[in-house]
Amino acid sequence: MDVVWLARVQFALAVMFHYIFPPLTIGVGLLMVIMEGTYMRTRNPIYEAMAKFWTKVFAVNFAMGVSTGIVMTFQFGMNWGAFSNYVGNIFGAALAAEGIFAFFLESGFLAVLLFGWDRVSPPVHFFATIMTTCGAIFSAVWIIIANSWMQTPAGYQVVEFQGVPRAELTFFWDMIFNPSTVPRLIHTLIGCFIVGAFFVMSISAYYIVRNRFVDFAKRSFTIALLAALVYSFVMMSSGDLMARTVAFYQPEKLATFEGHFKTGEGPTPFLLFGVPDEKEQTVKYALYVPKLLTFLVYRNFTTPVKGRDYVKDPADRPPLWIPFLCYHIMIYSAGLFAGLTLLGAIFLWRGTLFEKKWLMWIFVFAIIFPYMANHSGWICAEVGRQPWVVYHQMKTSHGVSAAVSGGEVLAGIIMFAVIYGLLFFVWIYVLSSKILHGPELPETPPETTTVKGLLGAAAERMRPELSEMADQEDESKESPS
Amino acid sequence: MTELEVLQYVWYILLGFLLAGYACLDGFDLGVGIIHPFQRGDDERRTAMNAIGPLWDGNEVWLVTFGGALFATFPIAYSTAFQGFYIPFLILLTCLIFRSVSLEFRSKRPSLVWRYTWDMIFFLSSLGATFLYGVAVGNMVHGLRLDAEGHITDRLWNLLHPYCLVVGGLAVATFAMHGSIFLYMRTDASQRERTYGHIWSCIGFFLIFFYMATVFTLYFIPSSTRNFVHFPWAWIIVIGTIFAIANIPRSIFHHRPFQAFLSSCATICGLVALFGIALFPNLVTSSISPEYSLTIHNASSAVKTLRVCLIIAIIGMPFVITYTACIYWVFRGKVQMGHFSY
């Protein structure tokens, strides 16, 4: 068996499974800061219950994130020895910084966040919540720096060391702020925030349709919906920035995403739908918007966008189908969740959102779209860079460990597949039992709320229903279902 | 000495510091896992897990940071060793994954079968991970079949040399002792009394393995003492370690668990330091020819990276140590089971 291929499969498996959890940690973490912050301001016990419940859910995801994350640190050395030698000076520095600046912060304050409710004062606890979320975000910062350097390397020189070329650091800040770091970081973080918001909405919507913890769920849902609305629209400009960065620094990658084969002359149209054909170098059944791609990339209507033929040797072009498909999955999912949140927000404003059971059911399952967008986004970024592991510097096929046999890598794949399959079911099981158990609500529902701003406005709109809900809540307490 | 050489020495010491930090901190929670089956009943087992509950996660970060720092500063050693220990590391990863998951999930369901299963997984994975660390250290001291191409050609069964198994046993005994002392500080009533008995058994096992490992090292690996000729001060570490070991039974006898815990931390630091001295200046020793060995000089990153990483460490480590200390302070004292416990 081909070691390169196996090692790629193993890496894809490990990283894609791992990436189920960090976006949840980052996204839910940020919402927990908002919830606990609201509690700190209003002293309304329902927000405390909210912060505590989402913290418990957060904890389950965090444990999974940590244990699958350690695997990633090991993977580089185990499967990608030559790559590790080549990039160690740079990639390793980013990983070490991630450990020192992010992981310690995250895991240290996580202890206070999870176990410290009775041991520290509320402000200290709130501080711990903020710090844990900061830790999660810092960790994203450093790993994105490392990944972006592989996409658009900068601040280095290639030096022969003991007969083998390797990249050595020359300008630290150039390496940190290589051309794609900032766009990628914004894009990734917002992607994570959206996952977190949809996760909270999904569980809250489930409570609403099941008529349990309704007041709690409506408030959680409102916070998450408003956050998701903002994120979804910021995401559009961030996506635009990201795509333009790719167009400038990795033209054949964007061309692959868009199914754009020949550079041609004059403005390039934007492909709405079509089936690209590698052999014929054309797109079948294509539906185009004229000049739009040129406008999106160059902000004019004349410059042609570079096609896949920008790379002369066909062997050096990225594979076509996977990036093309994933890119469109990402775009359409993004459109879908932007539309959904907008719809939700309109109904929220009208005060009829929570009566729309069908919409609540959609939100229960809508978590799948941000996940599809996040995962396919990363597939685009990584497969779109092929055949390079470090763009235009090192081929993926040259990065693999020389001392490792195909059988060993295959054993690893089987092992990870079995363990991760098992873990996934345990995770779902524990998560659903947490969700079914629900939050620990305060004894008496609060009479008034003093929330200000958008949240306040939203709370005002549901006030008429609140007393009604409190009655239902009492009934359900008397006769537990 | 050039700046590069100074940085290489500094990083060798700093990596030793990270490794010692990891062994002292994660050592006790792995140890609690190893003595987990000796806790009686569901409550005691739950208490044991909650004793390390808020702490194990941060402790494991020391390993991740050690890995990251090794990758950054000695990338060639990192990639060579990680390729060479492929199958053992796969097993190690399995252990670490199952360990963290068992801690997180064990008490989430009331079912006794569920809890018993996770208890067993917690025990086996703690034991397995600790043993593998020991075997890895044993192999590093013993030397690996590192060829001219820079590839480790040992197969799995070569790595299970009797010497390495003894070092694996030493690791298990050390962490079990360390963990039982920790648990003694954190528990009360009958669990505390029984843990007191466990500490004595663990000390017994530790002394046996320590003696065997010392004799085996001197007998099988004469090269491990060569650095004592160059660095006579290293004898201070030997003597210090022996005093630290001797102080463990003494302070346990006087019921001063915190002092015993510090002594066992000192013992672990001493063992890590001796490991570092035995290895120096090698990172991966070749048993085929000394020329093929990876040293801190021929396996390191360039001067710029070492400098940047040192700056990162100087900025970051004081913070790390401060909030690690704060968190241990917040969670000091006996385990209190609350609403948010495991």
Side-chain angles (χ1 to χ4, degrees):
Chain A
M1 282 267 226
D2 181 18
V3 180
V4 178
W5 194 80
L6 287 169
R8 284 179 66 183
V9 169
Q10 198 194 99
F11 197 87
L13 176 70
V15 81
M16 284 175 69
F17 188 73
H18 173 62
Y19 205 66
I20 295 175
F21 309 104
L24 271 183
T25 315
I26 294 173
V28 177
L30 194 64
L31 290 176
M32 275 157 43
V33 171
I34 296 174
M35 289 167 185
E36 206 177 338
T38 313
Y39 169 62
M40 296 297 290
R41 256 180 340 118
T42 63
R43 296 282 161 186
N44 184 343
I46 197 153
Y47 288 104
E48 191 189 17
M50 212 183 261
K52 284 184 175 174
F53 174 72
W54 294 110
T55 303
K56 278 189 164 184
V57 175
F58 176 90
V60 180
N61 300 328
F62 193 89
M64 297 287 288
V66 171
S67 42
T68 53
I70 292 179
V71 175
M72 301 317 304
T73 326
F74 277 61
Q75 285 256 311
F76 300 115
M78 287 166 68
N79 289 330
W80 303 98
F83 164 77
S84 300
N85 281 349
Y86 186 81
V87 301
N89 277 263
I90 289 155
F91 198 93
L95 275 193
E98 186 182 12
I100 291 176
F101 290 138
F103 291 153
F104 278 116
L105 190 72
E106 203 176 355
S107 63
F109 283 102
L110 179 80
V112 180
L113 172 61
L114 297 187
F115 301 94
W117 291 102
D118 312 324
R119 285 187 177 247
V120 296
S121 66
V124 174
H125 191 275
F126 182 47
F127 180 71
T129 310
I130 295 174
M131 283 296 126
T132 309
T133 307
C134 284
I137 291 174
F138 289 168
S139 140
V141 170
W142 287 102
I143 201 68
I144 294 285
I145 288 170
N147 180 272
S148 297
W149 186 85
M150 288 161 64
Q151 308 278 358
T152 51
Y156 73 106
Q157 61 183 4
V158 177
V159 176
E160 192 112 328
F161 184 76
Q162 299 178 359
V164 186
R166 70 173 185 184
E168 289 187 358
L169 193 59
T170 51
F171 297 102
F172 179 70
W173 294 110
D174 287 0
M175 181 276 274
I176 296 291
F177 292 106
N178 67 71
S180 65
T181 298
V182 174
R184 190 182 316 277
L185 183 63
I186 298 171
H187 196 60
T188 311
L189 281 180
I190 295 172
C192 297
F193 294 158
I194 292 176
V195 168
F198 269 83
F199 182 74
V200 169
M201 284 197 280
S202 165
I203 297 173
S204 305
Y206 177 77
Y207 287 150
I208 291 166
V209 291
R210 283 276 174 252
N211 215 5
R212 298 180 64 202
F213 319 108
V214 178
D215 180 33
F216 168 88
K218 283 185 179 178
R219 284 170 198 260
S220 293
F221 192 94
T222 308
I223 293 177
L225 176 66
L226 294 176
L229 181 70
V230 176
Y231 301 151
S232 296
F233 284 88
V234 177
M235 184 49 120
M236 290 187 177
S237 58
S238 130
D240 170 66
L241 180 65
M242 188 71 237
R244 287 172 71 205
T245 311
V246 174
F248 288 117
Y249 293 96
Q250 297 168 297
E252 74 274 25
K253 190 169 166 183
L254 188 83
T256 306
F257 293 167
E258 298 286 0
H260 174 40
F261 288 101
K262 291 179 188 130
T263 308
E265 280 166 23
T268 314
F270 180 79
L271 182 67
L272 274 182
F273 177 82
V275 182
D277 188 331
E278 180 85 272
K279 247 185 235 159
E280 305 281 324
Q281 294 282 301
T282 52
V283 183
K284 287 178 188 165
Y285 319 111
L287 183 63
Y288 284 112
V289 180
K291 300 186 183 181
L292 185 59
L293 190 61
T294 288
F295 176 73
L296 287 175
V297 173
Y298 295 107
R299 298 287 190 264
N300 66 31
F301 290 105
T302 47
T303 324
V305 176
K306 295 185 185 82
R308 272 165 70 83
D309 60 356
Y310 167 76
V311 176
K312 294 286 168 293
D313 183 356
D316 282 353
R317 289 176 195 160
L320 177 66
W321 266 103
I322 294 176
F324 177 82
L325 262 184
C326 289
Y327 179 74
H328 287 89
I329 291 174
M330 177 178 74
I331 302 264
Y332 294 142
S333 312
L336 214 69
F337 55 66
L340 260 181
T341 44
L342 192 61
L343 192 67
I346 291 169
F347 285 134
L348 180 73
W349 190 248
R350 288 199 184 162
T352 55
L353 173 65
F354 299 112
E355 292 154 23
K356 304 252 181 314
K357 291 283 178 244
W358 57 272
L359 190 60
M360 289 293 115
W361 273 116
I362 292 179
F363 272 110
V364 170
F365 295 104
I367 177 73
I368 197 86
F369 300 121
Y371 263 120
M372 271 163 54
N374 269 277
H375 276 81
S376 46
W378 274 112
I379 296 172
C380 287
E382 298 305 288
V383 180
R385 189 192 56 229
Q386 302 302 328
W388 306 99
V389 65
V390 180
Y391 187 65
H392 285 186
Q393 294 297 324
M394 182 184 227
K395 289 241 167 108
T396 308
S397 54
H398 298 159
V400 80
S401 292
V404 172
S405 71
E408 285 175 314
V409 185
L410 186 64
I413 294 176
I414 294 168
M415 195 203 80
F416 285 124
V418 171
I419 293 177
Y420 284 175
L422 201 71
L423 278 189
F424 188 74
F425 282 107
V426 174
W427 177 64
I428 293 289
Y429 178 61
V430 172
L431 196 62
S432 54
S433 73
K434 289 252 150 232
I435 294 166
L436 290 177
H437 181 264
E440 308 282 335
L441 293 173
E443 289 297 306
T444 46
E447 293 277 305
T448 51
T449 48
T450 51
V451 205
K452 297 183 189 81
L454 260 180
L455 293 181
E460 288 290 328
R461 296 208 161 255
M462 22 179 206
R463 175 99 32 87
E465 304 151 42
L466 268 182
S467 53
E468 197 181 306
M469 257 171 342
D471 295 343
Q472 285 171 358
E473 202 84 344
D474 287 342
E475 279 165 30
S476 66
K477 256 180 209 164
E478 280 158 22
S479 56
S481 49
Chain B
M1 260 198 305
T2 62
E3 187 192 354
L4 178 64
E5 282 174 315
V6 173
L7 284 167
Q8 285 164 343
Y9 291 129
V10 167
W11 268 107
Y12 188 74
I13 294 166
L14 281 178
L15 285 175
F17 171 76
L18 284 172
L19 191 62
Y22 175 69
C24 286
L25 296 176
D26 212 31
F28 73 73
D29 63 57
L30 285 162
V32 168
I34 296 168
I35 59 167
H36 192 66
F38 302 102
Q39 310 301 322
R40 286 192 195 154
D42 184 56
D43 276 351
E44 287 196 3
R45 291 188 173 184
R46 221 181 136 197
T47 309
M49 279 187 162
N50 276 290
I52 61 169
L55 307 171
W56 68 269
D57 187 31
N59 297 343
E60 221 157 68
V61 171
W62 288 78
L63 176 69
V64 179
T65 308
F66 173 80
L70 183 68
F71 190 178
T73 53
F74 300 105
I76 300 170
Y78 164 81
S79 68
T80 307
F82 276 51
Q83 292 175 53
F85 290 132
Y86 198 91
I87 296 291
F89 276 5
L90 280 184
I91 302 169
L92 175 67
L93 285 173
T94 313
C95 290
L96 292 178
I97 291 173
F98 274 117
R99 211 176 96 82
S100 52
V101 173
S102 64
L103 273 160
E104 197 60 49
F105 290 159
R106 181 213 179 253
S107 301
K108 294 280 191 279
R109 306 290 311 161
S111 147
L112 277 180
V113 178
W114 170 273
R115 292 187 170 191
Y116 183 77
T117 310
W118 285 117
D119 280 337
M120 275 323 279
I121 292 174
F122 180 53
F123 162 66
L124 288 175
S125 55
S126 304
L127 182 74
T130 310
F131 184 69
L132 284 170
Y133 290 138
V135 171
V137 167
N139 274 298
M140 300 303 269
V141 176
H142 182 261
L144 292 152
R145 300 183 55 79
L146 182 65
D147 63 17
E149 311 271 279
H151 301 150
I152 294 172
T153 54
D154 285 285
R155 293 291 102 194
L156 190 57
W157 49 90
N158 298 126
L159 300 175
L160 298 173
H161 183 276
Y163 172 72
C164 306
L165 299 182
V166 169
V167 180
L170 176 66
V172 172
T174 312
F175 285 1
M177 175 178 77
H178 197 47
S180 57
I181 297 171
F182 178 79
L183 202 57
Y184 183 64
M185 291 195 290
R186 293 299 169 101
T187 50
D188 46 22
S190 60
Q191 190 173 15
R192 183 176 163 92
E193 276 160 36
R194 224 158 334 95
T195 307
Y196 186 76
H198 294 154
I199 297 177
W200 286 110
S201 322
C202 291
I203 291 175
F205 280 113
F206 170 74
L207 289 175
I208 294 168
F209 277 107
F210 180 71
Y211 177 75
M212 278 167 67
T214 311
V215 171
F216 276 38
T217 308
L218 296 175
Y219 184 77
F220 282 114
I221 305 147
S223 63
S224 62
T225 50
R226 72 186 187 287
N227 278 325
F228 286 89
V229 180
H230 305 300
F231 313 117
W233 52 261
W235 285 105
I236 299 172
I237 295 175
V238 177
I239 295 163
T241 309
I242 290 170
F243 272 109
I245 293 171
N247 197 39
I248 298 170
R250 183 180 157 274
S251 28
I252 287 296
F253 183 76
H254 290 293
H255 292 273
R256 290 184 204 134
F258 187 63
Q259 202 186 62
F261 187 72
L262 289 183
S263 303
S264 91
C265 283
T267 304
I268 291 171
C269 291
L271 292 175
V272 172
L274 290 175
F275 166 57
I277 291 166
L279 210 57
F280 185 84
N282 292 348
L283 292 161
V284 183
T285 310
S286 170
S287 57
I288 298 175
S289 159
E291 287 168 41
Y292 303 154
S293 292
L294 294 177
T295 68
I296 59 169
H297 305 298
N298 69 16
S300 90
S301 279
V303 64
K304 177 95 183 178
T305 296
L306 295 179
R307 203 191 295 144
V308 164
C309 288
L310 186 63
I311 294 169
I312 289 172
I314 289 171
I315 298 171
M317 284 320 276
F319 282 105
V320 170
I321 291 166
T322 311
Y323 45 69
T324 305
C326 288
I327 276 131
Y328 275 79
W329 176 251
V330 169
F331 294 101
R332 69 194 179 278
K334 307 287 178 210
V335 179
Q336 292 160 358
M337 299 298 257
H339 210 66
F340 298 96
S341 306
Y342 280 140

